[in-house]
Amino acid sequence: MATEQAAENYTVEDLVALNPYNPDILNDLEKFVNEQVSSQTYNLDANLSLLRLYQFEPERLSEQIVARILIKALMAMPGPDFSLCLFLIPEHVIDLKTASHADNIIPQMKEQFKTLIVLSHYLETARFSQFWDEASKNRNILEVVPGFEQAIQAYAIHVLSLTYQKVPRPVLAEAINIEGLSLDKFLEYHAANAGWVIEKGGQSQVIVLPRNEVNHPELKKNTADTVPFEHITRIFPVLS
């Protein structure tokens, strides 16, 4: 009894840190995934621990929980989270070709994982137009996780900032899937809070994005400038 009461005092993070392979924490980890969804928080380590436990306890695998983990991982791009999670999911769960009713996996769930993999590919290759088209066809899968659209828009802006110094309004609109008055408000917000500058460019607007070391290579520090002088002086005796 005392042991149970002590265990209740641990957070999920504590349980994962103490023994990530303990099957007794599987239910706690599943609840924690749902908590991440409802509170719009994220814990990759806990989710990876749950997927590892599913490998040892395949009969306890929840397709709904796995799908939510993958959606949250997509929202973490450009991090490698989606690939890390996908690697730990049993092949029979995501491989439509090897699926059978004997797997006790609902066929629609199989299709769900296939959709998430396709969406991941579109994001990794910056094919945002195709991504939003596919996402619109699968709202029932994605809308269960609040904040998904906003997270992908942030990722799209990140990609654009690595490519453009000035991005045409139509290119931005396609990447973040916002148009018209909604895009006007979006631009106004980022101009006020994120350092964007809106310029007139011919018949359309051009958005000047904040400078970084990728879209403005001249900002990159010279390696020699970052090496302390005392480190250089230590090299001279070795060279002589």
Side-chain angles (χ1 to χ4, degrees):
M1 184 72 175
T3 304
E4 291 180 2
Q5 290 177 341
E8 290 177 0
N9 295 326
Y10 286 112
T11 64
V12 173
E13 290 92 337
D14 292 334
L15 295 174
V16 170
L18 288 170
N19 189 356
Y21 297 101
N22 180 5
D24 293 338
I25 68 172
L26 191 147
N27 289 337
D28 292 316
L29 290 174
E30 288 183 332
K31 291 177 183 176
F32 190 48
V33 171
N34 289 326
E35 287 177 18
Q36 292 174 58
V37 170
S38 60
S39 63
Q40 297 192 44
T41 55
Y42 183 56
N43 190 310
L44 175 62
D45 290 337
N47 295 344
L48 291 176
S49 292
L50 176 56
L51 294 176
R52 291 190 193 99
L53 287 175
Y54 280 151
Q55 290 183 323
F56 295 111
E57 309 257 348
E59 71 283 352
R60 298 175 65 182
L61 183 145
S62 166
E63 300 89 353
Q64 182 186 68
I65 293 294
V66 172
R68 291 185 174 190
I69 288 175
L70 289 177
I71 294 172
K72 294 291 283 186
L74 274 182
M75 294 166 64
M77 292 190 73
D81 303 30
F82 188 85
S83 295
L84 293 174
C85 292
L86 197 64
F87 180 76
L88 293 174
I89 298 174
E91 185 176 338
H92 75 273
V93 175
I94 58 175
D95 189 347
L96 293 173
K97 293 180 182 177
T98 60
S100 69
H101 293 292
D103 292 327
N104 294 321
I105 305 292
I106 303 173
Q108 289 86 341
M109 285 293 185
K110 298 274 191 177
E111 194 66 33
Q112 184 179 52
F113 294 127
K114 178 183 176 183
T115 295
L116 294 174
I117 293 170
V118 169
L119 291 174
S120 170
H121 175 68
Y122 286 151
L123 290 178
E124 289 173 354
T125 53
R127 294 157 65 183
F128 296 115
S129 177
Q130 291 95 322
F131 170 85
W132 292 114
D133 285 345
E134 187 69 23
S136 67
K137 300 172 189 173
N138 294 278
R139 291 187 180 278
N140 60 314
I141 299 174
L142 305 171
E143 287 182 345
V144 297
V145 180
F148 177 79
E149 188 171 301
Q150 292 81 359
I152 301 305
Q153 288 168 344
Y155 168 67
I157 292 170
H158 166 76
V159 172
L160 291 178
S161 73
L162 300 180
T163 310
Y164 290 92
Q165 296 177 359
K166 298 182 178 182
V167 56
R169 178 181 172 120
V171 173
L172 176 66
E174 180 179 89
I176 63 176
N177 198 38
I178 302 179
E179 294 179 336
L181 291 176
S182 296
L183 181 55
D184 290 337
K185 292 180 181 178
F186 188 90
L187 292 174
E188 287 175 11
Y189 175 85
H190 282 78
N193 297 280
W196 291 15
V197 177
I198 316 301
E199 295 181 349
K200 260 292 188 187
Q203 297 181 341
S204 180
Q205 290 177 322
V206 173
I207 296 89
V208 182
L209 299 175
R211 292 153 58 93
N212 59 62
E213 292 184 357
V214 179
N215 64 21
H216 282 77
E218 69 274 11
L219 295 179
K220 232 176 230 186
K221 290 183 180 178
N222 191 309
T223 305
D225 295 338
T226 63
V227 179
F229 179 74
E230 62 270 18
H231 290 186
I232 297 175
T233 58
R234 289 175 194 166
I235 297 175
F236 291 149
V238 176
L239 295 177
S240 59

